[in-house]
Amino acid sequence: MICLSILYANGAEKRFDYDYYAQKHMPMVLDTLKAHGMTRYEIDRGIGGVEPGSEPAYLCIGRCYFETLAGFQSGFADHGAELAADIPNYTNAEVTLQVSETA
């Protein structure tokens, strides 16, 4: 199983519309990429750091799961720009992507 983690960095004056992300963006991602083997997604909303009262390092972490690396790669080759174009609709945070193999 392949996991794409999308990390949205926290910082001064960063915004994140969780409702839009959960109700529109991620369902659109799944609908767009399921033909490429995407099976599901998860959304983590940052609520704090390790120290009590500290800010989270990330406003949100999204995870997209794919059956194969080839499916992930073909899906993002075909639709990556279209999906990225939606990002300004829900955040102005910097985005870090990581592709992992999960057990």
Side-chain angles (χ1 to χ4, degrees):
M1 178 78 48
I2 299 301
C3 177
L4 170 66
S5 297
I6 311 104
L7 300 96
Y8 298 92
N10 196 1
E13 300 184 30
K14 298 301 177 192
R15 65 170 181 80
F16 198 95
D17 184 338
Y18 297 96
D19 291 335
Y20 184 96
Y21 190 70
Q23 297 171 12
K24 295 186 180 181
H25 182 76
M26 290 300 270
M28 175 188 67
V29 171
L30 181 59
D31 286 346
T32 301
L33 298 176
K34 64 184 170 190
H36 294 275
M38 185 174 165
T39 59
R40 66 185 175 94
Y41 61 85
E42 297 174 345
I43 301 170
D44 293 348
R45 182 177 188 164
I47 60 170
V50 175
E51 297 298 321
S54 65
E55 292 291 320
Y58 299 100
L59 295 168
C60 183
I61 301 172
R63 292 185 189 86
C64 300
Y65 294 91
F66 292 82
E67 295 170 349
T68 66
L69 180 59
F72 158 75
Q73 291 170 332
S74 69
F76 271 79
D78 292 350
H79 303 286
E82 160 193 348
L83 299 174
D86 191 46
I87 293 173
N89 290 322
Y90 61 87
T91 192
N92 64 346
E94 288 78 25
V95 179
T96 299
L97 303 175
Q98 177 170 307
V99 178
S100 305
E101 184 174 40
T102 62

